Amino acid sequence: MRWQGQQVGATDADALPGLERLTGLVRSVTTPEFAGMTFHEVAAKSALNHVPGSSAMPFDWTVNPYRGCSHACVYCFARGTHTYLDLDTGRDFDSQVVVKVNVAEVLERELHRPSWAREHVALGTNTDPYQRAEGRYRLMPGIIDALAASGTPFSILTKGTLLRRDLPVLQRAREHVSVSLAMSIAVYDDELQKAIEPGTPTAQARLDTVRAATDAGFRVSVFLMPVLPHLTDSAAALDDALARIRAAGAVRVVYGALHLRPGVKPWFMQWLAREHQELVPKYLGLYPGAATSAPKGYRQWLAGRIRPLLRAHRLDGRDEEEPVRARPVSPSVAQSVRTTASAATAGRSLFGDDAVTLVPVRRGPGPVRSTGRTPAIAPAPQPLF
């Protein structure tokens, strides 16, 4: 075991570039239990992160106890955030994990500010709060307790089976606030999953966690995303995935095609060239140049393939691009919502457990308009892809 930077604010000449300037760095830890990984423990000054209004996210507040993630998903959209620490988006993201060791205490203070309006808080929207490090640091129980005690509804999105450990804590929290749970399971072929998500639990282990949460009384959603062109988008693969999701007790599926954001694309393409070289030309066609999203034709084709399967398996579901953000609440209504903890559940969660009026997500300049109808989607011819 190695300890560095024992004092808050200490400068370590041997630290990785960027980390010697990391505010609040307490120490960096390596241990045989987590071979090849380094945990950089920091004393965080804040816990609540405000999501910019221009964001497409259906929530305004997040908490991220960790930066970097041992799940090592090749396609992870959060990889680019590691460049803020002068670390790379590849191996460093997988092995250099920043841990906000005091996050629960800081969060509790922030939630007790008179200005806090008990808005919905999302966890797991950047890096996974139930990655392996959580088994060591046990930050989530304190976070959950702080949110529940303050009357703040929250949601958790994870790939980690450590969620099962905290089901009793979450059940207690649900007595006071709305709690929404979702499990991310993109790959159901064990061999492919080990190659592209080497640090994650197996799909079956995650499905077993869905079942445990369902048996504990939660309505669990599954994020079937990203769907990987030519790897997980066949009718047989999608049908098998949805059948297993249904059998596990999930009630809702959110799906979407692969995104390759800046910082992620080179890392993913290196993996693709190494593992599936024959697909490189097809991916360059789908994601040319600086493109980050699959073309509209592919996304429409994918929706046309998945939607009948969702109906066949009696699962509620939506495309990630469908509108989810609730309309702004008037000040008078907002005040009434804040008066009781039960009223705080009126806000729509990330996973759609509470029904509210919807508006489209703003994705660019210009006014937002809605017809209130979901447009029909005509699948594009499969040979295009």
Side-chain angles (χ1 to χ4, degrees), residues 80-95:
T81 62
H82 243 41
T83 61
Y84 304 150
L85 301 175
D86 290 338
L87 298 175
D88 71 47
T89 62
R91 178 61 182 161
D92 286 349
F93 181 83
D94 302 338
S95 62

Side-chain angles (χ1 to χ4, degrees), residues 34 37 39 66-76 79 90-97 124 126-135 157-163 183-184 192-202 206 267:
F34 297 89
M37 295 191 63
F39 299 120
Y66 303 98
R67 294 181 66 173
C69 186
S70 60
H71 287 337
C73 301
V74 176
Y75 54 75
C76 180
R79 288 184 174 276
R91 178 61 182 161
D92 286 349
F93 181 83
D94 302 338
S95 62
Q96 305 291 329
V97 177
N126 190 36
T127 55
D128 200 315
Y130 282 108
Q131 59 179 284
R132 286 186 62 217
E134 175 60 17
L157 171 62
T158 182
K159 295 180 181 178
T161 54
L162 271 168
L163 176 72
M183 182 66 66
S184 176
L192 178 60
Q193 180 258 328
K194 290 177 183 177
I196 202 167
E197 303 174 347
T200 60
T202 65
R206 282 177 266 175
W267 187 249

Side-chain angles (χ1 to χ4, degrees), residues 18 118 139 146 171 175 179 199-201 239 285 293 299 317 319 323 342 355:
R118 298 182 179 86
L139 301 178
Q171 286 177 303
E175 296 175 1
V179 178
T200 60
D239 185 55
S293 300
R299 301 196 307 270
D319 188 299
S342 61

Side-chain angles (χ1 to χ4, degrees), residues 128-248:
D128 200 315
Y130 282 108
Q131 59 179 284
R132 286 186 62 217
E134 175 60 17
R136 173 189 178 93
Y137 289 100
R138 301 183 65 88
L139 301 178
M140 283 298 289
I143 292 172
I144 293 167
D145 286 343
L147 290 166
S150 69
T152 300
F154 63 93
S155 59
I156 298 174
L157 171 62
T158 182
K159 295 180 181 178
T161 54
L162 271 168
L163 176 72
R164 298 179 72 166
R165 180 199 68 191
D166 289 347
L167 285 175
V169 183
L170 290 163
Q171 286 177 303
R172 292 195 296 271
R174 191 181 53 190
E175 296 175 1
H176 305 282
V177 296
S178 172
V179 178
S180 298
L181 303 181
M183 182 66 66
S184 176
I185 317 174
V187 182
Y188 294 75
D189 176 89
D190 289 343
E191 184 176 350
L192 178 60
Q193 180 258 328
K194 290 177 183 177
I196 202 167
E197 303 174 347
T200 60
T202 65
Q204 188 56 54
R206 282 177 266 175
L207 289 166
D208 290 343
T209 303
V210 171
R211 170 51 64 188
T214 299
D215 291 346
F218 292 95
R219 292 172 54 82
V220 184
S221 297
V222 169
F223 276 42
L224 180 59
M225 54 188 295
V227 176
L228 304 166
H230 306 290
L231 288 171
T232 63
D233 63 352
S234 70
L238 294 169
D239 185 55
D240 175 65
L242 293 172
R244 294 173 68 180
I245 290 170
R246 175 68 180 181

